[in-house]
């Protein structure tokens, strides 16, 4: 599996008074960090890719395919939120299983895939736990495991580790990196932390006021040559 | 080895304790009064336990359980349909109309229902043709059930919808991404939320049906349809036998506690994962088939609820409305009603808020395990006041206070307190989801900022709970508007409310006037709901 | 003061002007007569306002009414308040309740000559004085029922598809009235009569209002009410649609009475009012506000509509003592039959 490119072709969107216009290409099979001030449109951009919002005009292409009128479930996309990724009354195994069958009719193959995914996120032996018996980091691992069993080549992360401690966050990022390397996913993730971006991202998209104002390789963003807008956002210090 | 757990004195715990204390004093005091009076003839209490009592208990439980099932199951489906279609013209109006039945005196609602389903009702001819003989009306158990469903289905729907609205937006997003069908969505997203609310809503409906009085007698068709409430009423009113009234009230209370304990097993306590997002929004669009089913469902429900209301309005239009509106007695009754209902709603909201606050604090202090008795009392326990008949409270306090104070001054105070207490369980259920959600989000922050007491109420709780609070307030007011139990008992011309006036006119041949006042009462309730909606929505 | 909080709340209420009437009570001035009654008596279209005005004009005193739901509630109220009652007079009990009322020992003899009293069967009660009376009757809808029953037997044994709405004797005065009516006609055979009548009963309501409401909504062609009910429809609604059926066995009589309490014995106004009650100033108000028959002379003949009301050939009564003793047994008997 090699992740496709994601192309925003003059994608316009409006929410209350805020106007958004995105035009950019997210490189295939790589990890791209979305950065920018609050309200700049980072989550909106992810929601547009996932199909939770519909553009006013323009096209979103994943690989060669136009996503217009395509239901969220029919897109090759998995998204992980900051919270509420799990259904509180279902066990870990069931929560992951939903990624295979929305009615939880699981075949032997499905069960094997679920076990593999849980193993690869370090959640083996916790199949029958309920979400409330898990820590915050463990819950997000289950969500990642579910994204894995869905076998979608695009993974969207909306600050999923924001509420975790720095050490744990770093671990999780490394795991995402490893998974991405193994599966060649296209990953788009929102973060506020430059160190997350430097640890994980190949590329950076920088947003301001609903527009993508800078983009480039992660390295170029994190040294002296960083774009002026990004330096301003970082307060010139970092 | 002793473990000393110090719980710091917290005003939030005190509030709940005070609220519970007030309920205990209100009900306990009434019992003390009645028992003191009944002590002269204690055998009468035992005489209540005869073979006849068993029959009454059987019927009381039968009708209440059936009514609950028939009101609650459709309400689940209707609430779900309403939540599946979050925007359509008239949706808000439907919800507001759903608050009207509870504010109508039982007999007015019964006549409205009969205008539709009675022997001379609108549907009598088609129904008669259907069964091939003159339509016999709905007298008997079926009439009781229909009337109870008319009263309770709309309320249960509102409460379930409230529960569905606490589902986090992300869960809907997730469902859509995972390709959930309508049935998957119900199974994994909606049902858990509904199930959590189910025992409490079913319990509320059950209690209302257990204590139903006028509807049971009027539509029941004869004394076969006798409930415990009727027996209590008879014991106090006709036989004047306080000891028996207390005994029967205790039986009613005990039965309800047992039944509700069983009911509560229907619900799962999935609390603990309470991270809720602020504004639920749905991403799934029902497909054409489901859309049609939902529309049909809503149309049937709305017709069932609205046509008796329409019949009431229609009958009211024949009254000399203009004359009525300018009558001093009608005007002063309106003012009295509104004023009493306002005060009662204040009591209801204050009690609910205090109880909710305490319950939430207690729950957050225990990471797992079973809730303490205190917590359970602040939760469902307080709701049991509903099965203590107002006539028992009224009579008990009357006996207690007759020697020490001016009884006429007491009528409005008793009415406010009792109506407030009786509206509390409804307000509690309307407020709880929003309150717990807000408390989870704000508690730590407020603690760290040292925001407490009045400042917290003013700066944090009021702005974030403004909408559910106004809506619960209006609902509580509507409930109190329709009540006349206690006022009638204390009997003072000083506090003549609208329902009281209505029954008075009905009782002296003035049916047209009564119908006009029924219309008036329904309109007032609707206006209240509209107003609360507007007040709650502005400046958000 | 013990009840400061309460007083504060009350004055607040008063300040807001919600309870103007309570002010009158609070004054509790001398020269005030306090009468406990039921609420349709004091309603604005009831006799209360007329009577109050007329009496106040001749006594230069103040009349305060306190009203409760009905006669039964009135008796309970008196029982509850006992010797502490504020009532000087209790107006609105009926002859089915007088024995129980007397048993409270709260009432004193009125000491007034009853010779001006004109109720069927005469009057010789030294504690209670009547102010109006009426007969229970089956009122029917002439548009629905061409041949109304002509006797109680006819009602009991008639076509079960022609329904009647009755009231519950456990909760309502007319309900108890029918129970006593059937008892006085059928005696020990009342149970069987009820067993037959049961099939004609559409439903049993808690009170008169619910029953009459169902009747006027066309749910049933017959209802248990009073012989004088049609007068209301003739005079106020200008319709003769509703009529009372005359029963050959006679009709059960209800006499409404007033009595003086121990407290009232010390208030000269109480006795003065009882005397006033039997004069035309009071009695004139009775027919077209109470829709009952006056218990003494009126200044003018009644509206001609009253002439057309059913005049019972025989007025049936059961002594108050017997009712007090057997009411419970009879209601149990009724329950047995009706809940089968």
């Amino acid at each position: 599996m090699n992740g496709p490119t994601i192309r925003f072709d003059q994608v316009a969107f409006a929410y209350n008074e805020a106007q958004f216009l995105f035009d950019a290409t997210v490189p295939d099979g790589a990890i791209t960090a979305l950065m920018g001030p609050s309200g700049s449109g980072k989550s909106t951009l992810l929601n547009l890719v996932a199909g939770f919002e519909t553009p006013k005009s323009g096209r979103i292409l994943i690989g060669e395919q136009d996503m217009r009128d395509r239901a969220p479930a029919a897109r090759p996309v998995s998204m992980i939120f900051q919270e509420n990724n799990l259904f509180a009354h279902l066990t870990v195994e069931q929560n992951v299983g939903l990624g295979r069958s929305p009615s939880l009719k699981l075949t032997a193959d499905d069960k094997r895939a679920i076990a593999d995914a849980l193993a690869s996120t370090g959640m083996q032996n916790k199949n029958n736990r309920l979400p409330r018996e898990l820590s915050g980091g463990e819950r997000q691992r289950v969500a990642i495991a579910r994204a894995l069993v869905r076998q979608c080549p695009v993974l969207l992360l909306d600050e999923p580790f924001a509420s975790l401690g720095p050490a744990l966050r770093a671990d999780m990022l490394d795991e995402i990196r490893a998974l991405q390397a193994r599966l060649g996913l296209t990953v788009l993730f929102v973060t506020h932390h430059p160190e997350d971006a430097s640890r994980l991202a190949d590329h950076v998209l920088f947003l301001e006021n609903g527009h993508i104002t800078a983009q480039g390789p992660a390295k170029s963003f994190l040294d002296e040559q960083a774009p002026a807008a990004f330096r301003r956002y970082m307060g010139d210090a970092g | 080895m002793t473990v000393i757990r110090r719980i710091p004195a917290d005003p939030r715990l005190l509030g709940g304790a005070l609220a519970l204390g007030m309920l205990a004093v209100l009900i306990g005091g009434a019992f003390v009064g009645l028992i003191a009076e009944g002590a002269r003839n204690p055998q009468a209490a035992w005489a209540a336990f005869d073979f006849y009592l068993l029959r009454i208990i059987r019927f009381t439980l039968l009708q209440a359980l059936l009514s609950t099932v028939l009101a609650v199951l459709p309400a689940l489906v209707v609430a779900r349909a309403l939540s599946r279609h979050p925007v359509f013209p008239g949706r808000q109006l439907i919800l507001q109309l759903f608050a009207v039945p509870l504010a109508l005196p039982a007999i007015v609602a019964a006549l409205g229902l009969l205008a539709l389903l009675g022997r001379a009702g609108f549907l009598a001819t088609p129904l008669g043709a259907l069964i091939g003989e003159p339509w016999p009306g709905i007298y008997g158990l079926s009439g009781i059930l229909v009337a109870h469903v008319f009263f309770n289905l709309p309320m249960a729907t509102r409460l379930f919808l409230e529960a569905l609205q606490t589902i986090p937006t992300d869960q809907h997003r997730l469902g859509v991404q995972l390709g959930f069908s309508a049935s998957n969505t119900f199974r994994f997203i909606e049902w858990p939320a509904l199930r959590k609310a189910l025992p409490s809503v079913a319990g509320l409906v059950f209690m209302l049906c257990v204590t139903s009085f006028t509807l049971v007698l009027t539509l029941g068709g004869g004394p076969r349809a006798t409930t415990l409430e009727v027996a209590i009423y008879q014991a106090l009113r006709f036989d004047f036998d306080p000891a028996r009234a207390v005994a029967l009230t205790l039986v009613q209370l005990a039965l309800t506690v047992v039944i509700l304990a069983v009911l509560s097993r229907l619900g799962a306590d999935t609390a603990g994962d309470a991270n809720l997002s602020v504004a639920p929004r749905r991403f799934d669009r029902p497909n054409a088939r489901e859309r049609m089913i939902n529309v049909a469902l809503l149309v049937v429900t709305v017709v069932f609820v609205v046509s008796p209301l329409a019949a009431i309005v229609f009958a009211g239009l024949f009254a000399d409305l203009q004359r009525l509106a300018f009558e001093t007695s009608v005007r002063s009754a309106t003012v009295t009603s509104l004023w009493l209902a306002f005060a009662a709603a204040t009591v209801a909201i204050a009690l609910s808020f205090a109880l909710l606050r305490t319950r939430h604090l207690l729950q957050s202090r225990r990471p797992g395990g079973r809730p303490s008795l205190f917590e359970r009392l602040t939760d469902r326990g307080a709701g049991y006041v509903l099965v203590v008949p107002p006539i028992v409270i009224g009579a008990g306090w009357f006996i207690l206070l007759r020697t020490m104070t001016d009884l006429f001054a007491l009528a409005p105070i008793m009415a406010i307190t009792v109506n407030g207490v009786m509206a509390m369980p409804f307000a509690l259920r309307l407020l709880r989801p929003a309150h717990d959600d807000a408390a989870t989000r704000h508690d730590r922050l407020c603690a760290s900022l040292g925001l407490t007491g009045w400042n917290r109420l003013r700066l944090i709780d009021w702005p974030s709970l403004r909408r559910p609070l106004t809506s619960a307030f209006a609902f509580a007011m509507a409930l109190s508007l329709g009540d006349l139990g206690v006022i009638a008992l204390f009997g003072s011309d000083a506090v003549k409310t609208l329902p009281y006036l209505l029954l008075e006119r009905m009782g002296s041949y003035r049916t047209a006037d009564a119908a006009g006042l029924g219309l008036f009462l329904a309109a007032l309730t609707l206006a209240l709901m509209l107003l609360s909606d507007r007040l709650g929505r502005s400046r958000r | 003061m013990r009840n400061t909080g309460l007083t504060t709340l009350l004055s607040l209420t008063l300040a807001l002007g919600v309870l103007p009437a309570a002010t009158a009570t609070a004054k509790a001035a001398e020269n005030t007569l306090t009468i406990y009654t039921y609420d349709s008596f004091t309603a604005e279209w009831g006799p209360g306002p007329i009577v109050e005005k007329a009496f106040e004009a001749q006594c230069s005193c103040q009349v305060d009414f306190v009203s409760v739901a009905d006669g039964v509630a009135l008796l309970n109220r008196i029982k509850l308040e006992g010797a502490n009652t504020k009532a000087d007079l209790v107006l609105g009990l009926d002859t089915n309740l007088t024995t129980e009322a007397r048993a409270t020992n709260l009432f004193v003899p009125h000491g007034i000559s009853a010779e001006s009293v004109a109720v069927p069967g005469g009057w010789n009660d030294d504690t209670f004085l009547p102010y109006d009376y009426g007969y229970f009757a089956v009122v029917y809808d002439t548009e629905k029922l061409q041949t109304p029953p002509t006797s109680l037997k006819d009602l009991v044994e008639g076509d079960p598809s022609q329904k009647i709405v009755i009231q519950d004797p456990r909760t309502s005065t007319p309900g108890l009235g029918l129970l006593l009516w059937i008892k006085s006609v059928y005696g020990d055979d009342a149970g069987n009569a009820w067993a037959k009548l049961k099939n004609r009963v559409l439903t049993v309501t808690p009170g008169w209002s619910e029953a009459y409401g169902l009747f006027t909504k066309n749910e049933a062609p017959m209802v248990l009410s009073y012989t004088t009910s049609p007068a209301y429809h003739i005079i106020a609604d200008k319709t003769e649609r509703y009529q009372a059926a005359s029963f050959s066995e006679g009709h059960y009589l209800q006499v409404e009475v007033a009595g003086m309490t121990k407290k009232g014995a010390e208030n000269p106004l109480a006795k003065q009012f009882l005397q006033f009650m039997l004069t035309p100033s009071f009695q004139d108000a009775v027919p077209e506000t109470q829709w009952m028959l006056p218990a003494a002379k009126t200044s003018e003949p009644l509206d001609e509509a009253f002439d057309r009301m059913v005049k019972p050939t025989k007025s049936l009564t059961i002594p108050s003592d017997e009712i007090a003793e057997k009411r419970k047994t009879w209601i149990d008997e009724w329950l047995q039959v009706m809940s089968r």
Side-chain angles (χ1 to χ4, degrees), chain B residues 69-93:
Chain B
V69 170
L70 290 177
V72 166
L73 289 186
L76 283 171
V77 190
V78 175
R80 183 188 155 276
L82 279 167
S83 114
R84 294 282 276 179
H85 301 269
V87 186
F88 63 85
R91 183 179 188 269
Q92 209 49 34
L93 186 67

Side-chain angles (χ1 to χ4, degrees), chain B residues 18 56 208 323 412 516:
Chain B
L18 277 178
I56 300 180
L208 285 177
R323 189 203 73 222

Side-chain angles (χ1 to χ4, degrees), chain A residues 85-107:
Chain A
N85 284 297
L86 304 186
F87 295 103
H89 55 291
L90 298 182
T91 63
V92 164
E93 187 177 23
Q94 287 173 316
N95 264 297
V96 176
L98 283 173
R100 292 295 272 213
S101 157
S103 54
L104 279 185
K105 294 200 181 82
L106 300 173
T107 63

Side-chain angles (χ1 to χ4, degrees), chain B residues 37 52 55 107 111 114-115 118-121 136-137 139 213-214 217-226 230 233-234 236-240 244 311 315 327-329 335-336 339 395 398-399 402-410 412-413 488-496 500-501 503-511 515, chain C residues 2-3 6 9-10 13 16 18-19 21-22 25-26 36 39-40 42-45 65-70 72-73 76-77 79-81 84 86 161 163 168-173 176 198 201-206 208-210 212-214 216-219 221 225-226 228-229 232-233 291 327-328 331 334-336 338-340:
Chain B
E37 182 76 19
Y52 179 60
R55 228 166 47 191
I107 181 62
L111 289 179
L114 289 172
R119 282 157 58 91
Y139 302 93
F213 178 81
T214 302
L217 276 182
T218 304
L219 296 172
R224 235 182 333 230
T226 291
V230 174
Y233 188 81
Q234 185 194 354
L236 263 184
R237 226 176 92 63
F238 248 61
D239 305 342
F240 194 63
R244 197 165 89 225
E327 263 181 40
T328 355
S329 55
V335 173
T336 308
W339 192 87
F398 194 102
I399 292 169
R402 62 188 162 184
T403 50
M404 43 172 101
T405 183
D406 183 3
L407 273 168
F408 307 121
L410 224 84
I413 292 165
L489 187 80
F490 275 77
S492 157
D493 292 349
V495 276
K496 208 163 255 188
Y500 194 80
L501 201 65
L503 287 208
E504 216 177 77
R505 303 242 161 152
M506 232 181 131
S508 46
Y509 298 99
R510 284 165 175 77
T511 12
Chain C
R2 197 195 254 136
N3 53 348
L6 216 59
L9 227 149
L10 178 65
T13 333
L16 285 165
V18 184
L19 302 172
T25 341
Y36 282 15
D39 50 28
S40 65
T42 54
E44 68 222 276
W45 58 82
F65 283 116
V66 173
S67 57
V68 296
D70 58 17
V72 181
N76 284 340
R77 175 75 174 239
K79 280 187 187 168
L80 277 173
E81 292 184 351
N84 295 312
K86 289 194 171 58
S161 73
K163 299 288 184 188
D168 197 320
R170 292 170 297 173
T171 52
S172 114
T173 314
L176 186 60
K198 192 182 142 204
V201 172
L202 178 67
T203 191
V204 184
T205 66
W208 180 88
S209 309
E210 292 88 353
Y212 214 78
L214 292 178
T216 51
K217 289 268 179 197
N218 299 326
E219 283 296 299
S225 188
Y226 295 89
T228 40
S229 298
Y232 174 83
H233 298 288
W291 304 101
R327 182 171 59 91
K328 212 166 160 10
I331 286 183
W334 177 83
L335 272 177
Q336 278 296 325
M338 291 298 283
S339 43
R340 227 179 270 149

Side-chain angles (χ1 to χ4, degrees), chain B residues 20 362 370-382:
Chain B
L20 284 178
L362 290 170
R370 294 175 58 76
S372 64
L373 180 65
F374 185 27
E375 183 183 332
R376 270 186 280 169
L377 279 177
T378 57
D379 188 5
R380 227 156 274 157

Side-chain angles (χ1 to χ4, degrees), chain C residues 166-224:
Chain C
I166 62 168
Q167 299 85 355
D168 197 320
R170 292 170 297 173
T171 52
S172 114
T173 314
L176 186 60
L178 180 62
L179 187 86
L180 299 175
W181 192 358
I182 290 191
K183 198 81 211 175
S184 58
V185 171
Y186 283 86
D188 291 341
D189 208 25
N192 289 329
W194 276 110
K196 285 182 202 152
L197 180 59
K198 192 182 142 204
N199 301 319
R200 295 195 84 170
V201 172
L202 178 67
T203 191
V204 184
T205 66
W208 180 88
S209 309
E210 292 88 353
Y212 214 78
L214 292 178
F215 171 67
T216 51
K217 289 268 179 197
N218 299 326
E219 283 296 299
M222 293 182 283
V223 66
L224 178 73

